[in-house]
Amino acid sequence: MTALTEETAYDRVRLAQWQTGQARMPGLNRRTVLRLTAAGGLALAAAAAATPAASAASPIVKPLPPELFDVYGTNAEMRWEAMRGQGYLTPIDRFFVRDHTSTPVLDAAGWRLRLFGSGLRGGPVEFGYRELRALPSETITAFIECAGNGRSFFAAQQGQSVSGTAWKLGAVGVARWRGVRLATVLARAGLSRDAVDVLPEGLDPDYVTGGVNLGKVRRPLPVAKALEDVLLAYEMNGQPLPPDHGFPVRLVVPSWAGISSVKWLGRIEVSATPLVSPWSTQFYRLLGPDYPPEGTLVTEQVVKSAFELPWGATLPAGQRQVLRGRSWSGHGRIRRVEVSTDGVTWQPAKPIGPAPDRGWRQWEFPWRPRTAGPYTLRARATDITGASQPDVAPYNTQGYLFGAVVRHPVTVS
Ligand SMILES: Nc1nc2c(c(=O)[nH]1)N[C@H]1C(S)=C(S)[C@@H](COP(=O)(O)O)O[C@H]1N2
Ligand SMILES: [Mo]
């Protein structure tokens, strides 16, 4: 088995193989792909960025009350003030939703997961919902975060225009996921030593953008990551997965960009030859002047922090109050958080609650603003790898991985 654990190497190898015709893109024929390439990835990305016109029926099933969510077409982000007073986990009623098209309402009884491909020793293997639930289960606490979370701050803080949904910081949530390890299912399906990539695919409608049908939402994972810590989840916070979050079964790929955590899982191709998809060659790549011409694949999420406060909150002058927030990183747990209320001096925030590896860290910071007026709050975290939050996030055309310190405006009166 080729163990491409090192992500940069994995990406470099796959992209070169794709360009020289050695990697396959299942679900698209070569002509469509060439047309896409000729049209240019950027045009495609810009088309994808257009927010769909509001339609009568919501593409999202669960209620999206305005005190909990900001809605952008087929996507809804959590308002951070909705986490104030909550426990460690993000309750389902406020967990963000990112749908490429719309939430399909599926029936567990008729659901099948099909594994197939040259990376299996035998023919295709299918699992039903009950069969999957009968396999040994595992529960993990992990965040899922959209790679575009924080994207609006490229424009708001850095004056840079980027394509895609203008999320603030609410395209992230932490849940307890219960399910079966992908490693277990792959072993039962007869994983071959030659397998290099798996390609999980959703059952939601085909994704059509810029007049091109890109097929089912799907993104390849190297076998090494698939075997490491990926879960086929059927429960979220102790309940069956809700429709919007992938019922009956979704992938949870801890620490990696949300796109890897394919919802409404229907098929997984297991391949002895390299695979790519538009979600690895066009979308979720860092492109721009500071990157190599072919760009860099987005995998692990970067360090971020958010205050559990409304945007533009009003806070009382002359009173001691406790600011609260959370920080997280795809590279590992958070080691330190600092807060600044004047943009000059930084003081440590006090960590509270648990600190699981793939979740977030809650913290608090007492503050007594003496004078009325506008203030800008800043929080800056550092993870165990030493990665921290810069003042400026590296620009990329599609606005992924905004990890810079966010300037949160409040008014003291
Ligand atoms: N099948 C399918 N899986 C999907 C998506 C999708 O549109 N279809 N969106 C992806 C993206 S971009 C993100 S960020 C996460 C969001 O998960 P959530 O909606 O449960 O918060 O799901 C991922 N899995
Ligand atoms: Mo995403």
Side-chain angles (χ1 to χ4, degrees):
M1 195 193 306
T2 319
L4 289 173
T5 24
E6 209 265 287
E7 292 147 22
T8 323
Y10 164 67
D11 180 42
R12 212 179 320 109
V13 171
R14 283 294 171 277
L15 201 75
Q17 285 165 329
W18 162 238
Q19 282 160 348
T20 55
Q22 293 167 267
R24 279 184 311 117
M25 191 183 282
L28 278 185
N29 65 38
R30 189 112 201 132
R31 271 197 25 225
T32 311
V33 169
L34 289 175
R35 206 146 57 80
L36 277 179
T37 316
L42 298 189
L44 186 67
T51 305
S55 67
S58 168
I60 296 174
V61 170
K62 70 183 177 185
L64 302 171
E67 65 278 15
L68 301 183
F69 289 102
D70 283 324
V71 181
Y72 317 103
T74 63
N75 311 306
E77 85 166 290
M78 181 195 72
R79 298 174 67 112
W80 261 97
E81 61 268 39
M83 281 313 289
R84 179 136 192 141
Q86 295 297 320
Y88 184 79
L89 303 175
T90 309
I92 288 169
D93 68 0
R94 60 206 69 189
F95 203 102
F96 85 102
V97 180
R98 195 305 191 218
D99 284 358
H100 278 71
T101 57
S102 60
T103 294
V105 180
L106 303 174
D107 161 37
W111 176 85
R112 313 287 293 163
L113 173 66
R114 186 180 173 83
L115 289 97
F116 64 97
S118 58
L120 295 183
R121 291 195 303 273
V125 180
E126 289 198 353
F127 293 85
Y129 187 65
R130 281 160 153 270
E131 280 172 271
L132 201 74
R133 292 204 64 136
L135 295 177
S137 75
E138 188 169 300
T139 304
I140 60 171
T141 297
F143 70 77
I144 288 184
E145 181 181 27
C146 188
N149 195 24
R151 179 182 281 127
S152 65
F153 299 109
F154 277 104
Q157 292 195 176
Q158 305 184 178
Q160 295 160 335
S161 73
V162 293
S163 60
T165 300
W167 305 105
K168 292 188 284 291
L169 282 174
V172 61
V174 173
R176 294 265 294 160
W177 308 97
R178 175 158 175 261
V180 183
R181 290 180 68 105
L182 179 53
T184 304
V185 168
L186 287 172
R188 302 226 171 192
L191 184 67
S192 138
R193 315 174 119 265
D194 303 328
V196 292
D197 283 340
V198 303
L199 184 62
E201 190 178 284
L203 291 166
D204 41 336
D206 286 4
Y207 182 57
V208 178
T209 183
V212 184
N213 185 340
L214 298 181
K216 296 296 181 194
V217 173
R218 62 200 186 285
R219 194 186 205 222
L221 273 179
V223 162
K225 177 69 177 172
L227 296 179
E228 187 186 323
D229 60 355
V230 176
L231 205 64
L232 293 170
Y234 46 72
E235 269 181 30
M236 179 179 188
N237 294 350
Q239 293 178 42
L241 273 187
D244 295 311
H245 300 292
F247 183 85
V249 177
R250 82 175 301 166
L251 227 56
V252 174
V253 181
S255 312
W256 283 32
I259 184 61
S260 302
S261 294
V262 171
K263 303 192 276 188
W264 314 295
L265 204 56
R267 309 198 307 166
I268 302 180
E269 176 167 355
V270 185
S271 179
T273 59
L275 302 177
V276 291
S277 90
W279 288 267
S280 69
T281 58
Q282 305 267 352
F283 304 120
Y284 305 98
R285 292 193 77 78
L286 304 174
L287 298 162
D290 299 333
Y291 295 94
E294 71 283 8
T296 307
L297 190 73
V298 173
T299 55
E300 283 178 4
Q301 289 292 110
V302 295
V303 191
K304 290 200 188 70
S305 302
F307 288 94
E308 296 168 7
L309 282 176
W311 200 252
T314 303
L315 303 171
Q319 279 178 35
R320 183 186 186 273
Q321 48 211 297
V322 178
L323 305 176
R324 292 201 174 79
R326 306 184 190 225
S327 301
W328 62 98
S329 164
H331 314 310
R333 70 180 63 185
I334 295 298
R335 194 172 62 194
R336 182 171 74 243
V337 182
E338 302 152 289
V339 168
S340 175
T341 58
D342 60 8
V344 183
T345 57
W346 292 84
Q347 279 156 342
K350 183 177 163 222
I352 47 174
D357 249 352
R358 297 164 291 200
W360 51 26
R361 194 78 216 251
Q362 292 171 264
W363 44 262
E364 57 183 38
F365 185 83
W367 188 39
R368 187 166 178 270
R370 265 169 247 286
T371 50
Y375 287 80
T376 303
L377 304 179
R378 291 169 169 82
R380 178 171 75 189
T382 305
D383 69 24
I384 45 156
T385 71
S388 187
Q389 299 189 248
D391 291 333
V392 177
Y395 167 79
N396 65 91
T397 57
Q398 297 177 94
Y400 298 124
L401 303 183
F402 187 92
V405 173
V406 168
R407 304 198 282 267
H408 192 128
V410 297
T411 302
V412 170
S413 65

